Amino acid sequence: IGNYSASTKNFVYKTKFYDLNAGLIKLNKTGIQINQFNMIPKVSRAQFIKMIPVEKDLYTLKAQQISMLGKWDLFSENKFIEASNVTIQSMNATIFRSKIPNDDPKIKPMYSELLRSIKFPMYIENLDLKNSVLEYEEDTKISDGPGKLVFSNFNLNAKNLNSGKMKGKPTAIPITINCLFYGVSPMIVKWNFDTANLADAFTISGNISSLPATRINSFVEPYLKIRTTGSIENLKFNFHGNKNGLDGSF
């Protein structure tokens, strides 16, 4: 097959825990566009907790549009993805983690190792996540409902996202994040790691400014049963580490 194009509306795919659907999928030799993408849990949080033997995240994802420019082959023996740009527009993501199930004793791989584990060459020169919202919720056996962290106006840029298997392409991945913590406090994060580094070394630094302390009560009150007042004028962190440990300042 040389040139081709395909499109479908109202795409639906089901897994054990999720319903995935998209209002529109269009693809051709050099691009993919997905509109109104949703990944919605099929079960309630209470049901999910009963179904898992150890701690595991439950995701709810909704994106206005996902687009990719580049070239790829996922059907032959010589699979690859090489994209100049991937853009995710207006993603609303909720991650829920319950501490009620047993701890998972397995070693969790770092992101650099996860990318290295992709079995085929993959390289995305530029990834943009724009105008999005990220919420993280966590509960325990004794908390009064889940504590919630909210990152709004979330914009992320990642360069050279790769599996470390495409010859001649850089493997270092710089990531920059700009968002509002709890909708009011500017937050900037710079994160770097390298898929070619087998020790999975990384650095992450950033700061949060002008944070009314009462804003974090939605996390600490149900979770720790305390309340905070006052303001945090500036919070800075600068860490470096690898799969064996972490050091730095806070």
Side-chain angles (χ1 to χ4, degrees):
I1 299 174
N3 262 336
Y4 63 87
S5 64
S7 65
T8 179
K9 292 183 179 180
N10 304 321
F11 174 84
V12 177
Y13 182 78
K14 296 179 182 294
T15 69
K16 180 179 179 180
F17 292 119
Y18 298 101
D19 285 332
L20 287 79
N21 60 74
L24 174 69
I25 300 176
K26 295 171 64 176
L27 64 103
N28 56 38
K29 192 175 180 180
T30 59
I32 293 177
Q33 178 182 322
I34 303 172
N35 290 355
Q36 303 304 321
F37 170 80
N38 297 294
M39 188 174 98
I40 308 296
K42 294 165 65 173
V43 296
S44 68
R45 291 178 173 182
Q47 290 172 315
F48 180 73
I49 291 169
K50 293 178 182 178
M51 294 170 69
I52 54 175
V54 294
E55 285 183 13
K56 188 176 182 179
D57 291 333
L58 183 67
Y59 301 95
T60 303
L61 306 176
K62 299 179 180 181
Q64 181 178 318
Q65 187 177 87
I66 302 169
S67 60
M68 181 168 82
L69 296 175
K71 52 186 178 179
W72 55 85
D73 179 357
L74 297 177
F75 303 105
S76 75
E77 292 183 359
N78 301 313
K79 295 180 176 63
F80 76 94
I81 295 175
E82 185 176 359
S84 59
N85 199 69
V86 173
T87 302
I88 303 171
Q89 186 72 43
S90 300
M91 169 77 83
N92 285 346
T94 300
I95 304 170
F96 171 72
R97 165 71 63 114
S98 176
K99 295 293 185 180
I100 295 172
N102 294 327
D103 283 338
D104 186 351
K106 294 178 182 176
I107 295 174
K108 284 61 166 191
M110 308 287 278
Y111 288 106
S112 44
E113 182 180 348
L114 285 171
L115 286 165
R116 267 198 317 275
S117 70
I118 296 172
K119 299 184 184 301
F120 55 85
M122 182 205 74
Y123 179 77
I124 298 171
E125 185 177 348
N126 190 75
L127 169 71
D128 283 309
L129 178 62
K130 297 182 176 181
N131 191 31
S132 297
V133 178
L134 171 62
E135 295 183 349
Y136 176 76
E137 297 184 56
E138 183 174 293
D139 74 354
T140 68
K141 293 178 181 178
I142 60 171
S143 63
D144 299 324
K148 180 186 287 190
L149 299 173
V150 182
F151 306 86
S152 59
N153 293 75
F154 193 96
N155 295 280
L156 177 150
N157 175 260
K159 305 288 188 188
N160 311 324
L161 200 64
N162 71 92
S163 62
K165 296 178 176 66
M166 191 165 285
K167 291 182 179 179
K169 298 296 186 182
T171 56
I173 303 174
I175 299 172
T176 303
I177 298 167
N178 290 277
C179 65
L180 290 177
F181 190 49
Y182 284 107
V184 293
S185 304
M187 180 176 183
I188 299 171
V189 177
K190 293 189 179 297
W191 179 21
N192 293 271
F193 57 88
D194 190 335
T195 55
N197 188 304
L198 299 183
D200 296 315
F202 68 92
T203 63
I204 186 165
S205 62
N207 73 284
I208 301 171
S209 58
S210 304
L211 174 64
T214 52
R215 288 282 180 163
I216 66 173
N217 282 332
S218 63
F219 185 81
V220 300
E221 195 167 354
Y223 197 71
L224 301 174
K225 294 184 170 57
I226 62 173
R227 303 192 74 184
T228 57
T229 59
S231 64
I232 299 169
E233 295 306 316
N234 204 7
L235 182 152
K236 297 181 181 180
F237 57 92
N238 190 352
F239 296 117
H240 59 273
N242 55 37
K243 65 173 72 175
N244 298 312
L246 176 75
D247 198 2
S249 60
F250 178 88

